[in-house]
Amino acid sequence: MSQQPVDHEVTLQSLLARVAAAATVEDLRAVAREALEQGGVVATLLASIPTLPGPERKAAGQAANRIKTELQAALDAKKAALEAGALLASRHVEGFDPTLRAPRAERGTLHPVTQVVRELEDLFTSMGFEVLDGPEIELDWYNFEALNIPRDHPARDMQDTFRCDPAGQLVLRTHTSPVQVRAMETRRPPIRAIAPGKVFRQETTDASHEHTFHQMEGLVIDEDVSVGHLIHTMKTLLRGVFGKDIEVRLRPGYFPFVEPGFELDARCPFCKSGCSVCKQSTWIELLPCGMVHENVLKAGGIDPTRYSGFAFGLGLSRLVMLRYGIDDVRHLLSGDTRFLRQFHRIG
Ligand code: PHE
């Protein structure tokens, strides 16, 4: 006697309807038990296969498998939905919807000064320079004395100094030049070094003056170093920063630690015949520099009869302002994220 034909599709649909109607995970388990475990619909169907006439076996096997996979998928989906619902209910807080998309996390950017410093470090290390660091709280000796600025020297007034102790031995460095002397003390020529960093001056702040700003010192000491080397290095620096060759000129400049001392001006990279950046002059005053004074070489323990060198003190804050068209130096250390967000570039 052949078996009563079973409508597998009806079986499947009724199982799926029960899954859809299940209100708890326990309900789902009951459906799974009845359908899939031993004695269940699917198992019974599979067990009946050998008793069927040959041509019907294949169709019965396929039907059993279809019920099994579709039912399992429906069970899994419903289980996930019930669990998510339960989680939501357990976390329910008035006005809080955990299914909403989170606002995008804001990505930080490198500070424009950091970006320029990193570029300059790459440029100078490619020319064999090392990158040095020096203390921001400095001894009077390194900040002044060793740089040929004795106690009663009028040049001390050029840089209004924050003093850190009553005796005046400790100061916030007013420039990065003290790193020159520290470099000479700890290495032998040839010396090629740059030292970017913060410097501090006690002054009234305005759009072009800030009590804290950035400089980058440069120092080269070797036999037969000349002003020609200085000019070449400065031109290379400017080409690196502005991406093109820039004409320069030297004017005499006075700094006690260089002799001769210069103010190096760069041809305005933004115009041909005068603009607001160069104050209509087509020249930008950018780089105080000069040949290292022999007293400084001596203070650093270097023989001035054998070696000579040049030094420069790049005004980094000013350079950054020029490059990005920033009109107020106070933005740089304001910590204002609306300002900083404009300098998107990571790395
Ligand atoms: N230290 C000087 C300043 O801050 C700049 C400078 C550095 C000048 C090196 C000459 C050589 O004003």
Side-chain angles (χ1 to χ4, degrees):
M1 215 181 101
S2 91
Q3 256 174 306
Q4 193 66 19
V6 187
D7 188 335
H8 302 308
E9 191 54 34
V10 171
T11 309
L12 174 60
Q13 290 311 323
S14 78
L15 287 168
L16 292 180
R18 287 179 61 195
V19 171
T24 63
V25 175
E26 199 35 61
D27 293 345
L28 291 178
R29 279 202 201 103
V31 182
R33 250 192 323 271
E34 278 175 45
L36 302 173
E37 284 177 18
Q38 231 178 5
V41 190
V42 176
T44 312
L45 184 56
L46 286 171
S48 72
I49 291 178
T51 69
L52 295 176
E56 286 174 30
R57 287 184 191 168
K58 188 172 172 204
Q62 282 173 345
N65 276 330
R66 200 164 85 83
I67 295 176
K68 204 168 136 183
T69 39
E70 290 202 17
L71 180 62
Q72 192 61 59
L75 285 166
D76 290 346
K78 181 74 182 191
K79 183 161 180 255
L82 286 175
E83 282 173 351
L87 189 67
L88 267 187
S90 75
R91 301 258 170 97
H92 183 72
V93 175
E94 208 52 59
F96 175 68
D97 180 354
T99 63
L100 283 181
R101 269 171 153 262
R104 276 239 315 244
E106 211 174 299
R107 218 152 162 222
T109 57
L110 286 178
H111 193 283
V113 171
T114 309
Q115 295 188 17
V116 171
V117 166
R118 291 202 179 170
E119 276 178 35
L120 290 171
E121 286 179 356
D122 278 352
L123 176 71
F124 277 93
T125 49
S126 80
M127 297 192 287
F129 283 63
E130 49 181 331
V131 180
L132 301 180
D133 213 0
E136 291 175 352
I137 300 175
E138 187 53 284
L139 288 167
D140 183 277
W141 163 259
Y142 289 105
N143 197 79
F144 293 120
E145 296 272 337
L147 289 169
N148 202 32
I149 316 176
R151 202 140 275 270
D152 53 357
H153 198 285
R156 288 214 185 200
D157 297 337
M158 285 162 58
Q159 310 184 348
D160 285 317
T161 311
F162 287 112
R163 304 213 162 261
C164 304
D165 62 334
Q169 283 314 296
L170 284 175
V171 302
L172 293 188
R173 67 177 179 187
T174 58
H175 50 177
T176 43
S177 299
V179 185
Q180 288 186 33
V181 185
R182 290 182 175 274
M184 292 179 213
E185 279 179 347
T186 47
R187 14 185 86 57
R188 294 294 92 206
I191 299 173
R192 284 190 290 263
I194 53 166
K198 278 199 197 102
V199 302
F200 310 86
R201 291 187 197 174
Q202 187 165 18
E203 41 192 359
T204 313
T205 58
D206 62 27
S208 43
H209 295 89
E210 178 60 297
H211 50 71
T212 302
F213 55 101
H214 289 81
Q215 289 189 337
M216 188 180 83
E217 198 75 9
L219 177 70
V220 169
I221 294 178
D222 203 348
E223 288 174 2
D224 301 323
V225 174
S226 72
V227 176
H229 296 115
L230 167 62
I231 293 175
H232 172 77
T233 309
M234 298 301 91
K235 282 186 148 181
T236 309
L237 186 165
L238 293 170
R239 193 187 312 123
V241 172
F242 294 108
K244 56 181 177 186
D245 280 323
I246 294 204
E247 191 190 345
V248 299
R249 73 176 183 194
L250 289 181
R251 287 179 294 118
Y254 174 68
F255 303 93
F257 35 95
V258 283
E259 179 57 37
F262 308 107
E263 291 283 359
L264 184 137
D265 299 338
R267 195 59 104 167
C268 180
F270 306 108
C271 71
K272 288 218 152 54
S273 54
C275 66
S276 62
V277 176
C278 59
K279 303 204 185 79
Q280 311 305 329
S281 74
T282 76
W283 290 102
I284 294 178
E285 191 179 317
L286 203 59
L287 268 159
C289 53
M291 303 306 292
V292 180
H293 196 288
E294 69 165 274
N295 288 352
V296 180
L297 291 172
K298 282 187 205 152
I302 289 185
D303 178 2
T305 62
R306 181 161 171 212
Y307 296 107
S308 56
F310 67 79
F312 60 89
L314 174 67
L316 257 183
S317 299
R318 199 169 131 64
L319 185 72
V320 169
M321 289 171 71
L322 276 177
R323 168 141 148 191
Y324 294 108
I326 299 166
D327 58 4
D328 190 325
V329 66
R330 291 168 296 187
H331 286 312
L332 289 177
L333 293 178
S334 64
D336 188 334
T337 53
R338 291 169 306 178
F339 167 75
L340 295 170
R341 241 183 263 136
Q342 301 172 69
F343 302 93
H344 278 294
R345 204 188 74 185
I346 310 284

